Structures are given as structure tokens and as C-alpha cells.
Amino acid sequence: MENLISLVNKLQRACTALGDHGEESALPTLWDSLPAIAVVGGQSSGKSSVLESVVGKDFLPRGSGIVTRRPLVLQLTRIDGPGEYAEFMHLKKKRFTDFALVRKEIADETDRATGRTKQISTVPIYLSIYSPNVVNLTLIDLPGLTKVAVEGQPDSIVHDIENMVRSFIEKPNCIILAISPANQDLATSDAIKISREVDPKDTIPERTFGVLTKIDLMDKGTDAVDILEGRSYRLQYPWIGVVNRSQQDINKNVDMIAARIRKREYFASIPEYKHLAHRMGSEHLAKMLSKHLESVIKSRIPGIQSLISKATAELETELCCLGKPIAADAGGKLYTIMEICRIFDSIYKEHLDGARSGGEKIYYVFDNQFPVALKRLQFEKHLAMENVKKLITQADGYQPNLIAPEQGYRHLIESCLVSIKGPAEAAVDAVHAILKELVHRAIKETHELKQFPTLRVEVGSAAFKALDRMRDESKKNTLMLVDMECSYLTVDFFRKLPQDVEKGGSPTQSIFDRYNDSYLKQIGTNVQAYVNMVCSTLRNSIPKSIVYCQVREAKRSLLDHFFTELGARETKQLSKLLDEDPEVMERRAKLSQRLELYRSAQAEIDAVAWAK
């Protein structure tokens, strides 16, 4: 059972060393789940004397006003042999055998955190005392509650101390040791008042142990029997009376062991307290608290293990999302950048290939937007009777065509086909916009890029520049397809014209007679048929050109230019790309520290066997 208190002592030390001492934090806390005994009392309630009596040594700073200005976690360990010594967690491997120096170090360490002012700090001081005259026990000595600020203290000190004390004792795993002086009305006890606020279980507080001090200083004719027997204020556990050393004893350096014997004799010699003597004094208090703390720890171990497992999983998950720390060398930095870019590129390809959404929008352009745009082209304006007649006659010049107005046909067809460039360019731009949108989405979905804002911007900029180059090349090739159709007309189309004349016309008819409305209408119909044939061809070839020049290239070489430039950059330039958000760096450091705490806590628990 002694191992259980030792286990919690180790876990508390680990908590403080790694920044977890019960303060308000967004990180999971182990401290709050650890059972502890907090010593609470007003100034001059005899709180320090009770602790020194339990230890059997003078080691706490004394003086007027607020002496305890930081929580003191006092870890007592019973050892065999005559030696006694103390160790501070902040002074590793240094043993104190002179307890006057322990008192001085407590005062000095307090000043290091608060300055030589009378401010308070929530960061605990850890003091371990090893002695054959103590029981295994851990106590947290908190600043004494006060009602007024003294010179050198801010006006808020009263509330600051009260809030600090409350932050410790309001936790359900905290056992409250409430110190109250017997020579004052119990109704005005600061310790009872604040413990009642946080431990109000029905009418009988369950976490509070009452300690009554200064019984020997009560007015003559009065006694504390009603309090000690629980009639004045009932607690779950019996009240314990303690008689501390007098100021005269302290000044004379009266031995603590001798003082303990006198205290036992005091209760046994007073008739009113004789029947209670067996459960009075600091020795009984220490043994009872040790036994109770052991039982509480034993009951809490499964819950602590569950908390550690859950918190460890949560911390590992978040650390994974935050990414690994930045490498220090140039090679490591370059590898990190390349690896992140590879992840981004893989996600981008998944969008295009259908593993993620977005790529289907490109097919929508080819299957819907582009064909609809072609159908909306108003070829009727180009093939209106007046325009056909105008272009046909202009094409004849001074010498009319003898058989068919070939140049007129060419001009009509070219004027229609040129208008296809508009939908073709629009299709290129539409696909370009989709590819850019997918870059935005891939960047957002690449968690590693969230770690480095500058790299995120650079990757996005490089991808957009590459897409712009691909769009320009695609537009050039796509418009070239239209130009190719304009530059060379399909010969079979013209070969049909004489056949049409033979079937429906008179070859002896004057060429000028053939330019009547019926003939011009036939020309318009022929041109419309040819243009429709070309549109059908381009409807298939333009998407192929766009996919080849834009989509395929985006999958194949989106960041090639960026990689080429990257290889020529110096270490400082690479460092700028990996200028991680300071808040992320701080968060990762805190998470790593807290994860180390939980892993070490689990290791400590695994090393301890407790009675079931």
C-alpha cells in the first residue's frame, strides 16, 4: 500500500515538471485526477505548526502576514535508519540535512517566482522529506486565507488567495484538511466556510477532515468537546485536536519529539478530553490521513488509467494532425518540402481521377456546356439570304464563276467556323477554372500544408502559374483546330455541287440566273450542312485537345517548375518556406510535453502492483 502514495508522489512531480499543475488549460490534465490532501486555514490558525508537528521538524518559513505564497507539495516518505533529509524537485541531487536551510530555500524559491513582493503564484514547490519519524503521506500546503491586504500587497490579494485555494479543493479528488483555531468561534472559521462551499454533500461534508488547534489557549471554563465529538459541526470523519508548540517552545527550539509526548500527555491529563485522547494529536492525524489517502488512491487507480489511455490517444491524434517538427539541416528541409508537395500532388490527382469529388465537373463542360454553346451559335445570321448573296457576288469579282461560286462558299464557311472559337475558348477557360478550384481544395485537404503558411502560398502560386501556362498552350492548340478546319475544306463537300446541278438544275442556265433566291437558299443549306459536320468533329476533338494540354499535363507536371526552382534554393530560403505558425509550434511543444507526461505516468502505474 505504501507504493500507492509513492506512485502518486511520482506522478505529481512529473505533472509539475511537465507544466501540469492544475491551472486552467486547453490541454488534458492529469493533476486533477490525482488524489491529494490540501491543507486549508486562515492566517494564524496554526496551519504551519500542524504540518511541522506531522513532520517532526522546523522547516516552514515564519513571519507576519502571508508567509506561504506558493502551494507547497510536501511528500513524506518513511525510511529505516536514523538519517533524515529533504530534497527539492527544482534542486535535483541536492540533499538538505539542515532543515533551517530547507526553510530558507522555500522562501528563496518563492521569491524567484513572485519576486521580492508579496504576490502569490499557483506553481507548486515540491519538497520531499525522508525520515523514520513520518508516515507515507502527501500534503499540499496552501496560502493562508486572509481578510485584508497588508502593505505591499494588491487589493485583490484576498480574492486571489481564495480563488487559488478554491481551485485546489473544489476538485472531487481533493481531500480537505480544514484547520480551525479553538479559541475562535467555529462559525467564523475561514477553513470551514470555504470547505463547506465546495464539499456540501447533504448536511455532512464527505471530503473534509477537521483539525482543531490552540485548544490549550481557550478561555478558562470553556472546552472544545462539543466540536471534537461532532455536535457543533458534524463531519464524515471525527474531528482531531492538536496542541501545537507555544511561541516560547519555538524560540527555545524545543525538540519536536519531546513536544509530541507532551501533547499526548496534555489530552490524557485533562478530564474533558481524556476519553478522546486516543484519537488526538498530530501522530494520530498523520496515520489516519495516510490510511485514508491510500484507500482513496486505490479506488481511483482504474479511473486514472482510463484517463491516461484516452488522453494519450487524443494527444497522439492531434500531434499527427499538427505534423512533425521541422528538420534543422538543408537536406531534411528539402525532403520535408518535397514530401508535402508529393502528398498535395497525390490528393490533386485523386480529385481528377474520381477518388475525390471535383473531376466530374470537367466532363460536365465537355458533355453539356460546350455542346450547348455550339448549338447557340447563330449561323442563321451568317446564312441569311442577303448575306449569302453579298458574299457570293463579292467573291465573283469582275469574273463570275462559270460553274459554282467556290470562293463564295469558302467565305461563307469561314465566317461561320470562326464563330466556333468563342465556345472553344470558353471551354478551355472553364476547365482552367475547375483545375484552379481543385488546387484550392487539394491545398485545404493537405493537412501538412496547414503547418507552413508560406509553403502553402508558394505551392498554390506555383500550381496556378503552371495551370496558366497549360491554359495558354491548350487555347493555342484548340484554336488551331478551328483554324485547320477553316484553312482546308473537305473536298467531298464540293464534289457534291455539280451532282446537285445535274439532278435539279439546267446547265445551260445563265450563271446570273442561278443567283436567284432558290439557288442562294440552296447554297445556305449546303454551307449549314458543312458547318454542322465540322461542329460535330470539333465537339469531339476540342475536348481531347483540352484534356491532353491541360488535364493530362496537370496530372503529370503540375509542380515540375517549382521543383526545379526548389533545388537551387539555399538553406535560408528553404527555412522561409517552412516558417511554421508560432502558435502551431507552441501547441505541438505543449502537446509533446503533455504526451510525455502521460506515457511516463502509465509506465509508473505499470511498475506498481497494488492490492485488489
Side-chain angles (χ1 to χ4, degrees), residues 43-62:
Q43 288 183 28
S44 303
S45 64
K47 182 165 61 69
S48 296
S49 295
V50 170
L51 289 173
E52 288 183 331
S53 181
V54 168
V55 175
K57 287 291 181 182
D58 286 313
F59 69 96
L60 292 173
R62 294 182 179 276

Side-chain angles (χ1 to χ4, degrees), residues 174-176 199-209 235-237 292:
C174 181
I175 301 163
I176 305 167
D199 184 26
K201 286 284 184 179
D202 299 326
T203 57
I204 304 176
E206 293 184 345
R207 295 189 289 116
T208 304
F209 283 78
L235 298 171
Q236 181 76 19
Y237 307 97
H292 182 73

Side-chain angles (χ1 to χ4, degrees), residues 7-300:
L7 168 65
V8 171
N9 288 350
K10 291 177 181 178
L11 296 184
Q12 286 177 332
R13 289 194 195 101
C15 284
T16 296
L18 295 171
D20 176 13
H21 40 79
E23 80 289 2
E24 289 295 327
S25 171
L27 297 171
T29 173
L30 178 60
W31 177 281
D32 290 350
S33 67
L34 300 176
I37 300 175
V39 186
V40 181
Q43 288 183 28
S44 303
S45 64
K47 182 165 61 69
S48 296
S49 295
V50 170
L51 289 173
E52 288 183 331
S53 181
V54 168
V55 175
K57 287 291 181 182
D58 286 313
F59 69 96
L60 292 173
R62 294 182 179 276
S64 60
I66 302 173
V67 179
T68 304
R69 291 182 286 120
R70 288 177 62 180
L72 175 67
V73 179
L74 179 61
Q75 298 176 337
L76 307 180
T77 303
R78 184 181 181 85
I79 59 173
D80 297 325
E84 293 179 294
Y85 63 92
E87 293 179 343
F88 287 94
M89 192 181 75
H90 63 274
L91 294 174
K92 292 181 172 61
K93 299 182 179 179
K94 182 175 181 180
R95 288 187 175 183
F96 292 78
T97 54
D98 184 347
F99 281 80
L101 295 178
V102 172
R103 180 188 303 116
K104 182 178 183 301
E105 181 57 32
I106 292 173
D108 291 346
E109 179 62 13
T110 299
D111 289 341
R112 292 183 194 112
T114 63
R116 293 190 176 276
T117 64
K118 295 187 178 180
Q119 298 283 354
I120 61 172
S121 169
T122 59
V123 181
I125 298 173
Y126 274 83
L127 173 62
S128 298
I129 295 178
Y130 302 85
S131 169
N133 301 315
V134 300
V135 296
N136 292 304
L137 185 62
T138 299
L139 301 166
I140 302 175
D141 184 23
L142 297 172
L145 297 162
T146 184
K147 291 182 171 60
V148 291
V150 299
E151 185 178 355
Q153 293 176 339
D155 294 337
S156 63
I157 193 72
V158 175
H159 296 294
D160 292 343
I161 293 176
E162 189 174 312
N163 290 337
M164 183 201 290
V165 171
R166 186 178 283 106
S167 71
F168 276 85
I169 66 175
E170 68 185 357
K171 296 178 174 71
N173 290 309
C174 181
I175 301 163
I176 305 167
L177 189 63
I179 311 292
S180 301
N183 60 348
Q184 294 179 14
D185 188 352
L186 193 62
T188 63
S189 168
D190 295 319
I192 293 298
K193 177 177 177 292
I194 196 168
S195 66
R196 185 183 294 169
E197 292 176 8
V198 299
D199 184 26
K201 286 284 184 179
D202 299 326
T203 57
I204 304 176
E206 293 184 345
R207 295 189 289 116
T208 304
F209 283 78
V211 177
L212 200 63
T213 62
K214 302 187 179 182
I215 296 175
D216 55 329
L217 301 180
M218 295 181 70
D219 294 335
K220 288 184 179 181
T222 61
D223 60 59
V225 174
D226 284 348
I227 298 175
L228 294 174
E229 291 185 344
R231 288 193 293 271
S232 293
Y233 185 71
R234 189 179 175 192
L235 298 171
Q236 181 76 19
Y237 307 97
W239 281 81
I240 297 174
V242 174
V243 176
N244 296 323
R245 289 182 305 164
S246 65
Q247 188 60 48
Q248 185 178 0
D249 291 339
I250 294 172
N251 294 338
K252 290 182 178 180
N253 293 320
V254 173
D255 182 67
M256 281 287 188
I257 305 302
R260 283 180 180 177
I261 296 171
R262 277 216 311 268
K263 292 171 191 174
R264 285 199 298 267
E265 292 174 350
Y266 172 82
F267 287 106
S269 63
I270 303 296
E272 289 84 359
Y273 304 127
K274 193 171 183 179
H275 66 293
L276 299 172
H278 66 285
R279 59 179 180 85
M280 295 293 115
S282 58
E283 288 178 288
H284 175 74
L285 172 65
K287 290 176 182 177
M288 187 189 69
L289 288 176
S290 178
K291 184 177 180 180
H292 182 73
L293 182 59
E294 287 171 351
S295 65
V296 171
I297 292 171
K298 183 180 178 182
S299 67
R300 297 288 194 277

